Structure formats: structure tokens, C-alpha cells
Amino acid sequence: MGPVLAGVLQLLALMAALALAHKPLGTYMAEVYSSDRHWRVEKWIHKGIGADPDTEMRWPAYLRGVLAFSLAGVLLLYALQRLQGVLPGSLGFASIDPDQAFNTAVSFVTNTNWQSYYGEQAMGHVVQTAGLAVQNFVSAAVGMAVAVALVRGFARSRTGELGNFWADLVRGVVRVLVPLAAVGAVVLVACGVIQNFSGIHEVGQFTGGTREWNGGAVASQEAIKELGTNGGGYFNANSAHPFENPTPFSNLFEIFLILLIPFSITRTFGLMVGSVKQGYAILATMATIWLGFVALMMWTEFSHHGPAFQAAGGAMEGKEVRFGIGGSSIFAVSTTLTSTGAVDSFHSSFTGLGGGITMLGMMLGEIAPGGVGSGLYGMLIMAVIAVFIAGLMVGRTPEYLGKKIGIREIKLAACHILVTPALVLTLTAFAMALPTPGDSMTNSGAHGFSEILYAYTSASNNNGSAFAGLNADTQWFNTTLGIAMLLGRFLPMVFVLALAGSLAEQKPVPATAGTLRTEKPLFTGLLVGAILIITGLTYFPALSLGPLAEGLA
């Protein structure tokens, strides 16, 4: 079997698995977030945190809950890292420096999971499990809660109430993420992923000699790392490490976990707004972009230029031989079109155009299918923009799902899509202009610029992956990337929740003969075009200086 055919078969198997899971999981999540009953364990949690889960919240109160909970998470995770040296199970590792502790705390609370440290050489068992793994669950649940609040904004009318943040948060963890992650961890253990609390021990190497490795609860963290589109690896090599991802099957299963909730939640959206076809339209938009990117990545990486590429069957630099180009390409596209950031190969070693594809996937806003929750609300924001553009074309007041898109709504949507480009381009410009950040660049020229551009794109879009070769463990990068992660996560949420509140207050507008049918293929095409054109116009100059210049050289 040739490598190209193997890659295509993996892609078809993945699509079949996602199709089988779409309906049951999407329906189940709709029931979870529409139920008015609380499980007993949920009541205990609500009582412990002093929250009333039955109180409806308007968008300012919902936002305060999101921000207060996230701030508490940052402070707790920062404290755990600073105290690691005196905690049990630290494996002898010292406490984390203040700037790196800040960066890591912000990173995991914002669902970015950017890591400027070597996991197996810095973090003990307590920080990994009680700190990082816990944030993998709750940060994903926060994203799902904000997405559900926006969906309620479309579904409700003549009220500004969006549900209860604390109830949505707890349900997301208890009813969705924990059960799925438990099943995923069992599958990964069966594949050979380690799960223990062993200390540091020596392991023999094929090339001779030994190396020190520590164990850890890797399978359980790996499952929620992918399922919650988090991405932070237990080991520095991330999902390229055989302790985290040992076989081609485990590699494909981890991609399945990455895409499972973002693709399935489109059905949840359709059911909650009362039209499954609307969910299918959003799903079709996500799938079209994802498949297009996978095809482009495979074409780029399988292209044979010269005898070395021909002998290897493609561009194998930076890729694991046990996964090959096909598995690595699907993983790279899936992790950058979502907010995952996990890697099973080094994106810096991809071809120039291949590295550009991973960057562009993040620049789209990670909406195809995007992160857990964040992908859905990002795509719905783009749908509002597309409807507005269509309204301008035909001279009608734009409407979406029975709600008018007026001045207030379009301003909020526009602010949402401008946040991350402003952060990416401004911070990249500063980093290239100042001398100190440039010292962290291993490469010069177009590739060196791509390293910096990729870093701020990844942080601002809450992805977390990186181009290998950039030393980001400096005060400049730890601080500025941390700021980018905070603003890139929470500023868009402010605009999303404000938009949700504005929509929920409206009364529904009946459809007429002139209403744009947003469940039809025509709208899907319009939405795909709007996403690509808006992103292309925003980032094309920067991409031209980096990956495009390198790829066309």
C-alpha cells in the first residue's frame, strides 16, 4: 500500500467515525443543556461553590461568572507552580519561575496550552494532575457554556436571559467531558499509552546508553487534552512521543477525539434553535474548509521535489515514521483548525506552503470545526457577517434565524473578528522591531519571521502549537504571549455574550419570500467565501513575508 493511499484510507475511516458519532452525541448534548434537572453530584458541586443553578442570568452576569471563574483558575494554577518545590510528588523539580508560571497558568486557563517548558523536566505529578489536567476539563467547559449562551440568544425572544453559567459549566464537565474522557483514556491505555505515577528512572536507547524518563497519568490527560481541544503535552514532544501516542491507530483515535465535539455540537445548535437543517449548514461549512485544508496539506507534503523526497515518499522531515505523511497531515490540519495545538510532527519542518497552511488554519479563527464551544460561536459570528453582506447585496435588512442583524449586532460581530488580527499583527511587529525577541529566533529570513508570526497567531487564537526553533522561554515571550492569550480568549467572549443578550431581547421576525434561506447550500458557499476572503485580506501581507515567500522561493 502506497503512502498516499494509506493517508486517504485514514481520512475516510476518520470521516466515517465522526459521521457515526455526530447524531447521538449532538442530540445528547442538546438534552444536557436543555434539561431543567440537576444530577445529585451537580447539586453537591453547586452547594460547594455557593451557586444557585436555577437563577437565570443576563449577559453581564453570565460574563462575570466566566471571568471570575477563570481568574480563580489562573491564581490557583500559578500558586501550584510557584509552590511545586515543597509539594509532594514534585519528582524533585524546582518551583517554576514567576514569568513562566504566569504564562503557563494563563495558557491552560484560556484553553491555549502553550508550553514554554519541557514537561518531563519541569512539572511534577501534582501540578500535572491537580493543576493542568483539571484546567483541561474546566477551560473546555467554559467554551461550551459561552457557545450554548449564544445559541440561547438565537433561540429565545423578548428576554435577555441566557441561562446559568454555573449550571452550564458543571453540566459540561460532569455529563459530557468526564464520561467521554474516561472512555478515551481506556482506549489509549489499550493502545499502549502509559498511566502511572512512577518516579524518574533510566530507559535504554537503541543508539546505546540510557536516558532518564518519568512516568505519569498520561493516558487520562491525553484523552481530555484532545477531547477538550487543549493540546498541552505531558512530554515536550507532545503527541509525537511514544508514551503519549504510540501507534498509527492511537494517532487516528486522537484526531477523532479532537474533532468529535466541535463537529457534533453543530447538531446541538440545530436542535436548540428548532431547525436541524441550520445545524447541517454550519456543519457543511466546517467540513468543506477542513477537507479542503487536508487535501492541500497532503498535496503539499506528498509532492516529490528531488531524489531525497522521492526516496522518502514525500516531505518526511520532522515527521514520525510510524504515522507517515498522511497521518501527520491530517493531525496538523485538525489541530490548527481547532484550538487544540497538540502536534504529532513539527510544523516548522513542513514545507514552506505546508507551514503556511497550518498558520492560515489558526488565522481563520479556528472555526472549521474550531475549539470545543469556541468553534461554534466563532462560526456563528461569521454567519452573522455573511448574512449582513448578503443583506447589503439585495438591499434588505439582514436576518439570521428569525433575528434582525442591526447596527448593534454587526458592531459586536465586527469587534469579535478584529480582536485576534489586531493582537497577532501588532505583537508580531513589535517582536520583529525590537532586538531582544529576535535573539530567540533560530532561523533568519522568511522562516524566522514565520516562527514569530506563528507564535503570536497561536497564542492570540488560543491554539498553543509552535514552530520548532523559537526559544519562547524568555521574559518577553512569556509575558507578551500570556497577554495575547488572555485578550484573545476573553475579549471575544465579551462580544459574543453581549451579542447573545441583544438577540435574546428581540422578538422573532417571520420569514418572507425575500428572506435568505440560511439552511441551503447557497448560504454555505457564501459563508465559506466570507471566511476565506475576510481572513485573506487581513493576513495576506504577513503570510507573503513568511510562509508564502519561503514556499515560492
mmCIF file of all heavy atoms in Angstrom, residues 137 185 223 231 283 319 422 426 503:
data_model
loop_
_atom_site.group_PDB
_atom_site.id
_atom_site.type_symbol
_atom_site.label_atom_id
_atom_site.label_comp_id
_atom_site.label_asym_id
_atom_site.label_seq_id
_atom_site.Cartn_x
_atom_site.Cartn_y
_atom_site.Cartn_z
ATOM 1 N N PHE A 137 -10.200 20.203 31.657
ATOM 2 C CA PHE A 137 -11.644 19.960 31.716
ATOM 3 C C PHE A 137 -12.428 21.277 31.783
ATOM 4 O O PHE A 137 -13.334 21.510 30.983
ATOM 5 C CB PHE A 137 -11.990 19.102 32.939
ATOM 6 C CG PHE A 137 -11.718 17.647 32.761
ATOM 7 C CD1 PHE A 137 -10.543 17.087 33.220
ATOM 8 C CD2 PHE A 137 -12.647 16.818 32.149
ATOM 9 C CE1 PHE A 137 -10.282 15.733 33.065
ATOM 10 C CE2 PHE A 137 -12.404 15.468 31.986
ATOM 11 C CZ PHE A 137 -11.213 14.912 32.449
ATOM 12 N N ALA A 185 -9.557 7.529 27.636
ATOM 13 C CA ALA A 185 -8.354 7.117 28.365
ATOM 14 C C ALA A 185 -8.188 5.605 28.351
ATOM 15 O O ALA A 185 -7.071 5.095 28.205
ATOM 16 C CB ALA A 185 -8.423 7.631 29.804
ATOM 17 N N ALA A 223 -6.336 12.056 26.908
ATOM 18 C CA ALA A 223 -7.716 11.971 26.432
ATOM 19 C C ALA A 223 -8.410 13.330 26.497
ATOM 20 O O ALA A 223 -9.014 13.783 25.519
ATOM 21 C CB ALA A 223 -8.483 10.936 27.252
ATOM 22 N N GLY A 231 -4.462 20.547 24.132
ATOM 23 C CA GLY A 231 -3.224 20.427 23.377
ATOM 24 C C GLY A 231 -1.946 20.337 24.172
ATOM 25 O O GLY A 231 -0.901 20.029 23.614
ATOM 26 N N LEU A 283 -22.398 22.701 9.837
ATOM 27 C CA LEU A 283 -21.520 21.529 9.723
ATOM 28 C C LEU A 283 -20.900 21.447 8.334
ATOM 29 O O LEU A 283 -19.699 21.164 8.188
ATOM 30 C CB LEU A 283 -22.324 20.258 10.016
ATOM 31 C CG LEU A 283 -21.596 18.925 9.795
ATOM 32 C CD1 LEU A 283 -20.400 18.795 10.730
ATOM 33 C CD2 LEU A 283 -22.556 17.751 9.981
ATOM 34 N N LYS A 319 8.693 14.460 10.783
ATOM 35 C CA LYS A 319 7.505 13.606 10.951
ATOM 36 C C LYS A 319 7.913 12.237 11.492
ATOM 37 O O LYS A 319 8.985 11.723 11.159
ATOM 38 C CB LYS A 319 6.755 13.445 9.627
ATOM 39 C CG LYS A 319 6.265 14.768 9.041
ATOM 40 C CD LYS A 319 5.565 14.554 7.721
ATOM 41 C CE LYS A 319 5.038 15.869 7.165
ATOM 42 N NZ LYS A 319 6.105 16.759 6.709
ATOM 43 N N ALA A 422 -5.702 42.063 15.322
ATOM 44 C CA ALA A 422 -5.019 43.208 15.939
ATOM 45 C C ALA A 422 -3.910 42.731 16.870
ATOM 46 O O ALA A 422 -2.793 43.284 16.871
ATOM 47 C CB ALA A 422 -6.025 44.071 16.697
ATOM 48 N N THR A 426 0.030 43.284 15.584
ATOM 49 C CA THR A 426 0.713 44.296 16.403
ATOM 50 C C THR A 426 1.877 43.694 17.169
ATOM 51 O O THR A 426 2.998 44.228 17.165
ATOM 52 C CB THR A 426 -0.282 44.947 17.378
ATOM 53 O OG1 THR A 426 -1.349 45.550 16.645
ATOM 54 C CG2 THR A 426 0.414 46.003 18.226
ATOM 55 N N LEU A 503 -29.628 39.601 21.001
ATOM 56 C CA LEU A 503 -30.511 38.752 20.194
ATOM 57 C C LEU A 503 -31.671 38.213 21.020
ATOM 58 O O LEU A 503 -32.809 38.125 20.541
ATOM 59 C CB LEU A 503 -29.716 37.593 19.595
ATOM 60 C CG LEU A 503 -28.643 37.965 18.556
ATOM 61 C CD1 LEU A 503 -27.770 36.761 18.233
ATOM 62 C CD2 LEU A 503 -29.282 38.508 17.289
#
